[in-house]
Amino acid sequence: MKICMVTGGSGGHIYPALTFADYVKNNSDIEVFFIGNDHKMESEIVPNHGYDFYAIHNQGLQGSFVDKIKAVLGQVGAILQARKHLKKLKPDLVFTFGGYVSLPVVLAAKSLGIKVVLHEQNAFVGKANRMSAKYAAALFTAWDEAFKDEPHVYNYGNPRASLGYNPEFNPKERNRIGLHDQLPIVLCVMGSQGSQTMNQIFINMIPKLNNIDYQILFVTGKLEYDNFVKNMPPLPENVFVEEFIDQGALMPYVDLLVARAGASTLTEIIAFDKPSILIPSPYVADNHQYFNAKALSDQGAAILIEEKMVTEDSLILKIDTIIKNREKLNELKSNLGGFKTPNVNVDILNKILEILR
């Protein structure tokens, strides 16, 4: 049996697909390969994880009117490229994790009579998955809010939810940064690329953190690190700045997370039982991070603050209030329990096998 995985555009699509692929590889004799864009991050990340990768070229509907017309016309070429790969490789199933690369592959699969399933990581369904849904035999979700009016919906969770149930309590990353084991740790991270707006707020916070009785780690993102360091004041004793961290390795030691609300981040928050202050990015498609954060916030499982409401003083006050309130920390942890999906990968695989029987 063979499964074609389709994913791309962002880590939020790519890493859940890779996590499921790893589960399939380690727990079955099913062969897995990937299709993705030739010019996006999946073209490097997927092969580096040891999977065969077959490229197509497809553009999202961004930019000027002319750019959008070119993207629409380019769909024909992308479908033909995907169809060529699928005819040669003959998968039993196409499993898409979203991103605009997925739609031409779904259309190619249907033209060849190949069954399709899809996974939506966000509470607000992305455009490609909305358009692909009518062709899918199953719609796997991580939130009740996604595809709630569609048939064949299975809210099994995000494949990466399984990672936190076997955490490796290895202090190597904590020790590399210089964090102490006797003080609470607050991690502030706005995604792998960082955020200019939030990084400026973090810089403004630094001179006001001289007397904190906890540790705070600001992760700037690779694109923002040099500018952050150039403009930041001297660091107080318990304040740390890093360009990039191994977040999975550090999460077991974090006491409070201040973060965006991408699907992968929220999955880690749930899996590792981490209290969080969520500041959704207002710059993402369909404002989907807000809906992700709201799904947790509505159940008392996270604190939601819109970016436009954040100042350095208000964020310091919110962090201080929560990190020093053991009852509030435990309440947030407890309310995360209803979102846990430790069996997500076995559930998805069993449903796929049922569809293929």
Side-chain angles (χ1 to χ4, degrees):
M1 189 178 296
K2 190 183 295 186
I3 294 177
C4 169
M5 308 281 286
V6 187
T7 187
S10 73
H13 295 308
I14 297 166
Y15 288 108
L18 285 169
T19 301
F20 181 73
D22 289 344
Y23 177 82
V24 170
K25 181 176 70 174
N26 294 328
N27 293 277
S28 75
D29 58 359
I30 297 172
E31 183 181 345
V32 175
F33 69 90
F34 281 76
I35 290 179
N37 256 315
D38 58 2
H39 63 297
K40 293 293 184 179
M41 57 195 297
E42 62 267 23
S43 64
E44 294 185 7
I45 293 174
V46 171
N48 286 343
H49 276 73
Y51 291 98
D52 290 338
F53 180 82
Y54 298 88
I56 65 173
H57 188 81
N58 188 30
Q59 296 283 358
L61 296 175
Q62 290 99 20
S64 67
F65 177 76
V66 173
D67 290 334
K68 291 177 181 178
I69 293 296
K70 289 180 179 178
V72 170
L73 295 175
Q75 295 295 314
V76 176
I79 292 169
L80 292 175
Q81 288 177 310
R83 184 181 166 89
K84 180 179 178 181
H85 290 316
L86 295 176
K87 283 186 73 173
K88 177 183 177 181
L89 297 163
K90 296 180 171 57
D92 300 279
L93 182 96
V94 166
F95 189 177
T96 172
F97 278 71
Y100 59 77
V101 68
S102 62
L103 183 59
V105 187
V106 168
L107 295 175
K110 294 309 293 183
S111 75
L112 295 169
I114 301 170
K115 290 184 177 180
V116 172
V117 299
L118 65 83
H119 190 284
E120 176 57 56
Q121 299 91 57
N122 295 298
F124 189 93
V125 180
K127 289 186 179 73
N129 274 350
R130 287 203 301 270
M131 297 173 72
S132 300
K134 62 184 176 182
Y135 304 110
L139 309 173
F140 300 117
T141 71
W143 306 96
D144 289 332
E145 291 80 358
F147 289 123
K148 58 185 177 182
D149 297 322
E150 298 284 343
H152 313 303
V153 178
Y154 305 93
N155 183 8
Y156 291 157
N158 188 313
R160 290 184 68 76
S162 61
L163 299 181
Y165 296 95
N166 296 292
E168 297 182 8
F169 289 94
N170 186 337
K172 183 177 180 180
E173 181 70 349
R174 185 192 64 187
N175 295 343
R176 178 192 70 79
I177 296 166
L179 296 163
H180 312 298
D181 58 5
Q182 68 272 24
L183 291 177
I185 296 171
V186 177
L187 171 61
C188 299
V189 54
M190 295 289 123
S192 60
Q193 302 304 317
S195 161
Q196 282 187 346
T197 303
M198 288 305 304
N199 276 345
Q200 186 57 57
I201 290 174
F202 294 157
I203 288 171
N204 295 342
M205 289 170 63
I206 289 173
K208 303 181 180 185
L209 297 172
N210 281 296
N211 298 312
I212 57 173
D213 53 2
Y214 52 88
Q215 301 167 98
I216 188 163
L217 168 61
F218 296 114
V219 181
T220 67
K222 292 187 176 183
L223 296 180
E224 299 291 325
Y225 180 75
D226 289 342
N227 187 62
F228 192 104
V229 171
K230 184 174 76 172
N231 290 288
M232 74 181 185
L235 294 180
E237 182 180 2
N238 292 335
V239 178
F240 303 82
V241 173
E242 291 286 325
E243 172 185 3
F244 177 81
I245 62 167
D246 183 343
Q247 190 163 311
L250 192 61
M251 280 291 276
Y253 301 97
V254 171
D255 297 276
L256 177 65
L257 185 68
V258 180
R260 291 303 199 194
S264 293
T265 295
L266 267 59
T267 300
E268 290 184 355
I269 286 169
I270 294 165
F272 286 99
D273 285 318
K274 294 304 168 183
S276 63
I277 298 170
L278 300 176
I279 305 171
S281 171
Y283 314 108
V284 296
D286 300 315
N287 200 24
H288 69 260
Q289 287 197 9
Y290 173 81
F291 295 98
N292 290 350
K294 190 173 185 298
L296 286 186
S297 176
D298 284 350
Q299 301 302 317
I303 305 298
L304 166 60
I305 308 175
E306 292 189 66
E307 185 181 274
K308 63 185 178 183
M309 303 302 294
V310 180
T311 67
E312 59 267 25
D313 290 328
S314 68
L315 187 53
I316 291 171
L317 179 60
K318 183 62 70 174
I319 291 171
D320 279 343
T321 301
I322 297 174
I323 198 68
K324 296 174 182 178
N325 187 336
R326 181 54 54 185
E327 183 177 339
K328 184 63 176 178
L329 290 170
N330 289 336
E331 176 189 327
L332 291 167
K333 288 181 183 181
S334 177
N335 290 337
L336 287 168
F339 295 93
K340 289 187 174 296
T341 55
N343 300 316
V344 50
N345 290 306
V346 65
D347 289 341
I348 291 176
L349 181 56
N350 285 342
K351 180 56 65 176
I352 286 174
L353 294 174
E354 179 184 315
I355 290 169
L356 292 176
R357 276 201 285 270

